[in-house]
């Protein structure tokens, strides 16, 4: 049996990072994205060499297969999340230079841009699987509707309508973007007020209608439902420090934006993504599920 040449093998494996980035945006889970890409390559290498050689664009074939698997995963994810304990949040990822430990393959690291912001990923969760796949493939990765249609199993015209619907959701839900520098400044002030247990300062930094959502997955303690209101949130956060004197807050990049990591005795307990608008924190997404913190913890 013939084996692939080194250049051919290198070209095939060179698609891995792009596929990981695509699958993460489609699923909001790095673990699921890795599974999808592994399954995609398993299907590629299950084909006889002659059949592989007949494929004009291996990269296009891999993308099509990965997209279809993601579509199936999204369909089953809805049922799984109905059984999930508490609130489900996307899996946070650090800046590529800040991964704890070293992934088996550097290609597994997600490239950060506005399409992986926590607010954006949470928004994608409100879409139907077909809307999400169409929107991410076309509007984020710039695949033509003809290619998207082959993945989604719809006509190009139907995919255009799915994209229009998805864009409407995005336009209605996305607040104006705060510059990274201003966002970082608010996060730093917020951290300092929290560390000082200064409820008054926290209230000033929190939007009156701010919301905290936490995800423990039933494995660790977390808020069972979102907490609303600047003052209740401020008192809750101050109480956390009172009950955990060893708690430390570290400024880190979370999904491409300034965020915070909560540590107790140098052990990561939570990763917080924050949304900032008009110099106030409007949303806090606190991921505590240890299964979603692998890139943040050593080993």
């Amino acid at each position: 049996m013939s084996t692939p040449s080194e250049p051919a093998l290198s070209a095939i494996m060179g698609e891995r990072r792009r596929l990981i980035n695509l699958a993460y945006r489609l699923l909001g889970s790095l673990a699921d994205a890795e599974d999808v890409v592994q399954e995609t390559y398993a299907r590629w290498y299950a084909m006889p060499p002659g059949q592989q050689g007949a494929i004009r664009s291996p990269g296009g074939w891999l993308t099509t297969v990965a997209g279809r698997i993601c579509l199936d995963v999204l369909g089953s994810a809805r049922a799984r999340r109905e059984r999930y304990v508490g609130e489900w949040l996307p899996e946070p990822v650090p800046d590529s230079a800040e991964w704890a430990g070293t992934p088996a393959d550097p290609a597994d690291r997600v490239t950060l841009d506005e399409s992986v912001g926590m607010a954006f990923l949470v928004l994608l969760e409100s879409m139907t699987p077909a809307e999400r796949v169409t929107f991410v493939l076309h509007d984020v990765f710039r695949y033509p509707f003809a290619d998207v249609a082959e993945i989604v199993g719809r006509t190009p015209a139907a995919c255009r309508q799915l994209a229009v619907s998805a864009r409407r959701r995005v336009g209605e839900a996305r607040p104006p973007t705060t510059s990274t520098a201003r966002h970082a400044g608010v996060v730093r002030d917020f951290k300092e007020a929290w560390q000082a247990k200064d409820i008054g300062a926290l209230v000033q930094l929190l939007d009156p209608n701010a919301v905290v959502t936490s995800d423990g997955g039933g494995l660790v303690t977390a808020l069972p439902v979102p907490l609303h209101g600047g003052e209740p949130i401020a008192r809750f956060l101050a109480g956390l420090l009172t009950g955990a004197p060893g708690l430390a807050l570290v400024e880190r990049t979370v999904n491409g934006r300034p965020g915070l990591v909560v540590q107790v005795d140098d052990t990561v307990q939570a990763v917080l993504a924050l949304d900032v608008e008009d110099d106030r924190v409007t949303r806090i997404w606190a991921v505590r599920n240890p299964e979603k913190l692998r890139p943040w913890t050593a080993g």
Side-chain angles (χ1 to χ4, degrees), residues 143-193:
Y143 284 93
F145 281 121
D147 293 348
V148 176
E150 186 177 351
I151 294 170
V152 178
R154 311 280 182 97
T155 65
C159 288
R160 286 190 182 90
Q161 289 304 310
L162 288 171
V164 168
S165 175
R167 287 185 206 118
R168 187 180 301 117
R169 290 179 191 253
V170 171
E172 291 171 351
R174 290 180 78 177
T177 301
T178 302
S179 72
T180 299
R182 289 181 67 182
H183 187 118
V186 172
V187 170
R188 185 168 297 113
D189 291 344
F190 182 81
K191 182 192 79 167
E192 291 173 356

Side-chain angles (χ1 to χ4, degrees), residues 74-274:
L74 285 170
S76 63
R78 297 202 162 198
R80 282 186 291 146
R81 287 171 194 171
E82 287 177 1
R83 301 190 298 271
Y84 195 82
V85 178
E87 299 289 325
W88 187 95
L89 290 175
E91 187 176 337
V93 291
D95 183 82
S96 60
E98 297 178 341
W99 285 65
T102 304
D105 185 344
D108 288 347
R109 295 178 177 176
V110 173
T111 302
L112 302 180
D113 58 30
E114 66 175 6
S115 70
V116 293
M118 188 62 73
F120 187 66
L121 291 178
V122 170
L123 175 58
L124 291 178
E125 286 293 313
S126 68
M127 298 181 184
T128 67
E131 279 180 335
R132 183 169 184 166
V133 172
T134 297
F135 179 76
V136 170
L137 282 169
H138 182 266
D139 284 44
V140 177
F141 285 86
R142 302 302 178 188
Y143 284 93
F145 281 121
D147 293 348
V148 176
E150 186 177 351
I151 294 170
V152 178
R154 311 280 182 97
T155 65
C159 288
R160 286 190 182 90
Q161 289 304 310
L162 288 171
V164 168
S165 175
R167 287 185 206 118
R168 187 180 301 117
R169 290 179 191 253
V170 171
E172 291 171 351
R174 290 180 78 177
T177 301
T178 302
S179 72
T180 299
R182 289 181 67 182
H183 187 118
V186 172
V187 170
R188 185 168 297 113
D189 291 344
F190 182 81
K191 182 192 79 167
E192 291 173 356
W194 187 0
Q195 287 176 325
K197 292 185 280 189
D198 189 335
I199 293 176
L202 284 170
V203 170
Q204 289 299 312
L205 286 163
L206 286 159
D207 185 271
N209 297 312
V211 182
V212 173
T213 304
S214 63
D215 175 350
L219 301 175
V220 293
T221 304
L223 290 168
V225 294
L227 179 62
H228 296 257
E231 186 167 343
I233 292 171
R235 295 189 180 281
F236 170 74
L237 294 175
L240 288 179
L241 276 180
T242 300
L247 188 149
L249 305 172
V250 182
E251 295 175 49
R252 293 281 296 274
T253 299
V254 180
N255 284 59
R257 301 289 281 172
L260 295 171
V261 170
V262 179
Q263 297 180 343
V264 175
D265 299 327
D266 295 324
T267 301
V268 174
Q269 299 291 321
V271 172
L272 275 57
L274 295 87

